[in-house]
Amino acid sequence: KAGVTQTPRYLIKTRGQQVTLSCSPISGHRSVSWYQQTPGQGLQFLFEYFSETQRNKGNFPGRFSGRQFSNSRSEMNVSTLELGDSALYLCASSRGDRGGQETQYFGPGTRLLVL
Amino acid sequence: AQSVTQPDIHITVSEGASLELRCNYSYGATPYLFWYVQSPGQGLQLLLKYFSGDTLVQGIKGFEAEFKRSQSSFNLRKPSVHWSDAAEYFCAVGLNQAGTALIFGKGTTLSVSS
């Protein structure tokens, strides 16, 4: 079974631009969660999508948004990039409907550098 | 607000020695607790999780963790560390029962000396 894939793996943008990151979950998984990892703040939860609906949301500004498609693939968008948005963005997938039996599988991440 | 504290930023253990990584959480209800490991160039991998029942949880790679409600702790242990265990370890609490929205601690970097 293929794992979680994220594209692109590396990205360089300049301040003020916007960026879209993609995550393809494991086949059969309907939940996709996004996290931001930085040296200073660590791993922070952005949001989770389940069956095309945002189910949980972290404490990030509105510049961070996401969506999920009918095939469970998810995209994350960051508008008006700031230097502080430089980070490793991780997505994780799971079935999302098994309560305590869930295991989240993480992708390798997209490393975003904002100049 | 929910939070997770990992008091040790960096720990060095001799190969073959025992290991304990500390984790304290703040959560109003019964917590759903997780330990993940991240090796250089590798994604996050789930070591173990606690949802209910037995407070001693067994995981992969010989790791175990004990949930202590009275101490708000979920410490990770391994009786004998191998050089390949060198990595960064993250404790997390789930915001939902599905375990799909996690609050992570800042992590503990484990170095293994020979």
Side-chain angles (χ1 to χ4, degrees):
Chain A
K1 202 182 235 188
V4 179
T5 58
Q6 293 186 244
T7 57
R9 294 293 310 279
Y10 303 92
L11 206 49
I12 299 175
K13 291 286 187 179
T14 56
R15 276 183 303 173
Q17 288 186 310
Q18 74 165 12
V19 67
T20 298
L21 312 182
S22 180
C23 174
S24 293
I26 292 171
S27 178
H29 286 188
R30 291 192 289 160
S31 168
V32 174
S33 300
W34 288 89
Y35 296 85
Q36 181 196 65
Q37 186 174 24
T38 61
Q41 298 300 315
L43 277 156
Q44 297 185 85
F45 172 69
L46 281 154
F47 32 65
E48 181 215 358
Y49 285 85
F50 177 75
S51 293
E52 302 180 65
T53 301
Q54 189 180 82
R55 185 161 69 171
N56 290 282
K57 187 178 188 305
N59 191 27
F60 275 78
R63 299 187 297 108
F64 293 82
S65 62
R67 59 178 176 168
Q68 186 178 36
F69 302 95
S70 58
N71 62 358
S72 294
R73 188 177 71 86
S74 178
E75 288 182 346
M76 191 193 96
N77 184 274
V78 187
S79 63
T80 320
L81 283 166
E82 301 177 358
L83 296 179
D85 297 332
S86 295
L88 180 67
Y89 290 89
L90 295 166
C91 81
S93 80
S94 66
R95 284 188 45 161
D97 59 1
R98 297 179 67 190
Q101 304 303 313
E102 291 290 347
T103 294
Q104 273 195 314
Y105 296 87
F106 280 79
T110 294
R111 188 165 294 281
L112 172 65
L113 177 62
V114 182
L115 302 176
Chain B
Q2 302 92 337
S3 66
V4 176
T5 302
Q6 295 181 246
D8 304 305
I9 297 174
H10 190 194
I11 283 183
T12 299
V13 174
S14 299
E15 190 169 16
S18 63
L19 169 71
E20 182 169 27
L21 301 181
R22 297 184 291 164
C23 172
N24 295 100
Y25 67 88
S26 173
Y27 193 74
T30 300
Y32 304 111
L33 297 162
F34 306 80
W35 274 100
Y36 280 84
V37 61
Q38 187 176 38
S39 302
Q42 305 278 325
L44 279 161
Q45 182 181 24
L46 179 67
L47 286 174
L48 48 78
K49 59 187 176 185
Y50 170 80
F51 277 81
S52 64
D54 194 349
T55 56
L56 186 61
V57 181
Q58 301 297 321
I60 63 171
K61 303 185 180 187
F63 286 93
E64 67 177 26
E66 186 171 12
F67 169 59
K68 292 185 177 180
R69 185 186 299 274
S70 62
Q71 299 177 20
S72 298
S73 70
F74 189 56
N75 294 348
L76 183 71
R77 301 193 295 247
K78 186 171 186 178
S80 178
V81 167
H82 188 262
W83 64 266
S84 61
D85 293 324
E88 190 159 20
Y89 291 80
F90 295 92
C91 180
V93 63
L95 293 177
N96 60 353
Q97 188 179 13
T100 52
L102 302 177
I103 301 297
F104 283 90
K106 292 291 180 73
T108 297
T109 299
L110 172 65
S111 297
V112 180
S113 62
S114 56

